Amino acid sequence: MESLEQLKARLAQALPAARLELVPNDSPAGQPSLLVNKEAALEVARFLRDDARLRLDYVSNVTGVDWLDTAVTRKVRSRQVIEGIEREIEQTFEEKKPGFLEVVYHLYSMELKHGPLVLRLRTGNRSHDIHLPSLTPVWRGAEFQEREVFDLYGVVFDGHPDLRRILMWDEFQDFPMRKDYVGPDDFEYEPTAHGEVLERARRHEQSPEVPRP
Amino acid sequence: MGLAKRRAGLEVRISAPPAMMDEGLRSELGKQGIFTTTLEELYNWGRKNSVWPLGFGLACCAIEMIAASMARWDLARFGAEVFRPSPRQADLMIVAGTVTKKMAPQVVRLYNQMPEPKYVIAMGACAISGGPFKQGYNVLKGIDRYIPVDVHIPGCPPRPEALLHAFMKLQQLIDAQALTGGSRPRHLLPEAPSEFLVPEYGPHDLEPPKNPDVWCPPVVGGRET
């Protein structure tokens, strides 16, 4: 398969409206991925499937990632004239980066026996702008996995044929794989609590609903 | 109880409770070809040797349960080879595997559909406590939160020998049950419940998260944890 840079250049030529970005990967795997804006995602997906040199006809995996809101502090040193004397002062800026939900598709070609190509889509934020186009019309195999991402992360896939919860029950309201999910306080007995579990057990013991002996 | 039958030279006499019968006399009668027993012994002997389990599995423990019923371990030696596909015909529920919160109402409903007397073996770490999934959000932390469990088997998964051991423990339990008196089992107490609360799916957890009539938190180190 051609390199991701070559693919990106070809995609930019074929679909000028698409905003494409290469996401580097610093881990030992070193596998970069292709980030696509959600408006162009369906066209890009069709291109990846139908292009004669790619023929990515099989989506092996769909995953979700929850990125929390982050605050990045930046320090800027500058020289300013204060009271007639030039001084070097340091200013601190705090930048807030809104979090988002990310969906990662791993694509392979059964026909040409190559892959994977890692495709990423991102939502606008974590609270209300959580819609993404469903890629199930392109790859039928994504149906259940997109339902799972919807169930556990709360990403709403527009155009999905049957978007219901798949693992949790229909009445369930939370999204348990989100990083700020707090599970129900329903364990009363911890024989060998340690670490995070010990903290949870202590919080449980301090809650007013636990009967005192 | 003076009921006596004569059939093929063997006298069957169902007598008063065992305390009324002298052990020496009983053994002497046995030597003469006269078998004496009590209704309780006969009743429990029959029940403990034909415990029919409900044929259902939830996770990997079910594979061990199936192995225990096959030729190598042969659960049929204990009269329990007939795994029933219907809860109406089953006496024993082997909860073999992880009980997810989504599955818990169905497990309780199956138990409610079984006729009395009925028994439960919780097989494996997940069924008795939630096991490795105890800290998770989707697994019930032990089926004993909703239904009364007679025998717990630890292990992940327990070997078929462990299931056979649990089964023999259950047979001992059935054998020791009295038909009369205050200690008689639940199915002989008219006011005791035969059906148990089926939890409902709530917005965050099962509702209620446990049945307080069946399960209360264990007391560890002199205080409730």
Side-chain angles (χ1 to χ4, degrees), chain A residues 152 165-174 176-177 181 183-191 197 200 204-205 210-213, chain B residues 100-103 134-141 145 200-206 209-210 215 217-220 222-225:
Chain A
L152 303 179
R165 285 189 177 269
I166 189 167
L167 296 173
M168 305 305 285
W169 51 91
D170 292 339
E171 294 85 348
F172 196 70
Q173 286 175 359
D174 303 332
M177 290 296 273
Y181 170 73
D185 187 13
D186 65 343
F187 63 111
E188 285 81 7
Y189 173 54
E190 266 325 313
V197 177
R200 238 176 105 171
H204 171 81
E205 278 179 31
V210 177
R212 299 282 145 209
Chain B
T100 57
K101 285 178 180 169
K102 200 175 178 180
M103 195 64 184
K134 189 176 161 85
Q135 296 303 322
Y137 55 91
N138 60 336
V139 172
L140 187 69
K141 290 150 185 68
R145 287 178 183 232
E200 284 181 11
Y201 296 133
H204 307 289
D205 197 6
L206 289 176
K210 57 175 184 279
W215 192 81
V219 177
V220 180
R223 63 165 304 218
E224 206 172 83
T225 52

Side-chain angles (χ1 to χ4, degrees), chain A residues 119-132:
Chain A
L119 188 69
R120 287 171 190 262
L121 308 178
R122 285 177 183 174
T123 64
N125 55 40
R126 301 174 67 253
S127 51
H128 55 274
D129 187 9
I130 49 169
H131 288 253
L132 284 180

Side-chain angles (χ1 to χ4, degrees), chain B residues 89-162:
Chain B
Q89 301 168 343
D91 309 301
L92 168 67
M93 180 183 235
I94 303 175
V95 184
T98 317
V99 188
T100 57
K101 285 178 180 169
K102 200 175 178 180
M103 195 64 184
Q106 283 76 272
V107 175
V108 179
R109 199 167 286 128
L110 277 175
Y111 180 72
N112 285 347
Q113 287 171 354
M114 285 163 61
E116 290 278 7
K118 53 189 174 185
Y119 303 93
V120 179
I121 292 178
M123 179 181 184
C126 300
I128 66 176
S129 70
F133 313 107
K134 189 176 161 85
Q135 296 303 322
Y137 55 91
N138 60 336
V139 172
L140 187 69
K141 290 150 185 68
I143 190 63
D144 50 3
R145 287 178 183 232
Y146 290 115
I147 56 178
V149 175
D150 296 289
V151 187
H152 296 78
I153 321 172
C156 187
R159 283 189 57 85
E161 288 92 334

